Amino acid sequence: MRETREHAAKDGGTGADGAAIGGGAQAAPLLRNAAIVFAGGACYGILASVVKVAYASGFTFPQVVCSQAFFAFLVFALLALWDRARGRRRVRTTAPQRLKLAAMGLVTAGTTTFYYLSLTFIPASVAITLLFQFTWIGLVFEAATTRKRPAPAALAAAGIVFVATLFASGLVGGKGAGALHPAGIACGLAAAVCCAGFMFLSGRVETQLPVQQRGLWACCGYLVVAFALCPDYLTSGVLLQGIGWFGLVLGPLGFALPMLLFGVGCKHLPPGLSTIMASSELPISVACSVAFLHEAVSPLQVAGVVAILVGVVVAQVPYLRRRA
């Protein structure tokens, strides 16, 4: 605030008016970048409903996974061609850098594979709730690598998220454990582990490279898993049967757009605020499962979803206070 007032004084503003002008100038970029990160999280929230519709249309789990990877790769390949056509120089990368990014893509493929497999067993609203356990699994990763005990607020948030999941998934006061397939629950939690791993690596692996290049090489690792699951994707004729339309949605929304949007917005926001805004994935996914798939969601499940979001915010409160 002191710096804001000093800048305002230099520009001819004084007192409260000058501070208000400076604060307004700073608030506009903050809100814009927060909206960008919110949109990135919302992209993920739409995926479960699209995948369920693809399954209902007769397409298989390997075909859906491969469609997302293939069309995401096409997006980044087109971006690379666009950069070259505009005369932009690409940053030179070494073989170890490419391998690191491809390995990160393998972890992303694990998230997609387990998440989409869970959708073959359990409702979309339950699958996204299990996936969202990455919020506390990430704390375990961080504690294991840094050998530091998580902050009390983070531990409290983890407890809130864990208990809220019992309600949001329908295990308490809803469907009951017997109505949920064990394989679906296991795959949903495995997806959460992979997602936490991706979040951990994405902030550490070759972050100095442009986001388009990072995405292209990560997609290469992603494609290895995708074509291992569905090796005849390009030759079986499934593209002519209509899965390409789903790929046109899943590729951009499931990988390309979130990576680009997070790459643009997150670097201008405090990490705590980025996490909060990216959690838009959860309510958007539940809303889509109700609106498009007509899944029944009880009031207790809605309360559980809200409690999970509260847990995410609680985990970030100490950091946001320090930033303030």
Side-chain angles (χ1 to χ4, degrees):
M1 183 64 72
R2 182 182 300 171
E3 293 178 357
T4 302
R5 289 196 183 99
E6 289 174 354
H7 286 300
K10 291 179 182 178
D11 293 334
T14 57
D17 291 339
I21 292 172
Q26 291 179 353
L30 180 69
L31 291 175
R32 181 173 63 249
N33 288 300
I36 290 173
V37 175
F38 183 94
C43 288
Y44 285 132
I46 300 171
L47 296 179
S49 295
V50 177
V51 171
K52 282 283 193 179
V53 173
Y55 290 162
S57 300
F59 298 110
T60 65
F61 150 72
Q63 292 169 344
V64 171
V65 172
C66 203
S67 291
Q68 176 166 314
F70 180 67
F71 280 88
F73 178 80
L74 289 181
V75 170
F76 282 108
L78 290 173
L79 287 174
L81 292 175
W82 174 250
D83 284 343
R84 179 170 295 182
R86 296 176 64 187
R88 283 188 178 179
R89 281 192 171 187
R90 297 181 66 77
V91 177
R92 183 171 296 179
T93 55
T94 63
Q97 287 178 311
R98 296 171 185 174
L99 287 175
K100 288 179 184 178
L101 291 170
M104 189 173 70
L106 291 175
V107 178
T108 305
T111 303
T112 303
T113 300
F114 286 118
Y115 182 41
Y116 289 178
L117 187 57
S118 73
L119 290 170
T120 64
F121 298 106
I122 55 180
S125 57
V126 177
I128 184 61
T129 301
L130 294 173
L131 175 64
F132 226 70
Q133 302 313 296
F134 77 84
T135 54
W136 65 265
I137 294 174
L139 293 177
V140 178
F141 282 8
E142 186 173 353
T145 54
T146 63
R147 298 177 182 262
K148 292 182 180 179
R149 184 178 179 180
L155 293 174
I160 293 172
V161 170
F162 179 77
V163 174
T165 299
L166 300 178
F167 292 92
S169 62
L171 291 175
V172 175
K175 299 175 178 62
L180 298 178
H181 200 291
I185 296 175
C187 288
L189 293 175
V193 173
C194 291
C195 185
F198 170 73
M199 293 289 188
F200 181 80
L201 293 174
S202 63
R204 292 166 172 80
V205 176
E206 307 302 333
T207 55
Q208 77 281 3
L209 294 177
V211 66
Q212 296 95 324
Q213 283 184 257
R214 294 183 79 220
L216 182 63
W217 288 110
C219 271
C220 291
Y222 195 177
L223 280 173
V224 170
V225 175
F227 281 119
L229 288 172
C230 190
D232 62 344
Y233 178 76
L234 296 176
T235 59
S236 63
V238 69
L239 282 169
L240 299 177
Q241 296 171 15
I243 199 169
W245 296 110
F246 292 102
L248 284 172
V249 177
L250 294 174
L253 292 184
F255 192 88
L257 273 177
M259 179 165 281
L260 292 171
L261 291 171
F262 291 153
V264 170
C266 287
K267 62 185 178 182
H268 300 296
L269 296 177
L273 184 56
S274 298
T275 302
I276 292 171
M277 298 311 296
S279 64
S280 59
E281 172 187 357
L282 180 59
I284 294 295
S285 183
V286 173
C288 286
S289 68
V290 173
F292 300 115
L293 304 177
H294 307 293
E295 293 184 356
V297 178
S298 69
L300 276 177
Q301 286 178 275
V302 174
V305 170
V306 173
I308 289 174
L309 297 177
V310 170
V312 173
V313 174
V314 167
Q316 310 304 331
V317 165
Y319 183 83
L320 294 175
R321 279 181 176 173
R322 289 196 298 269
R323 292 285 298 190

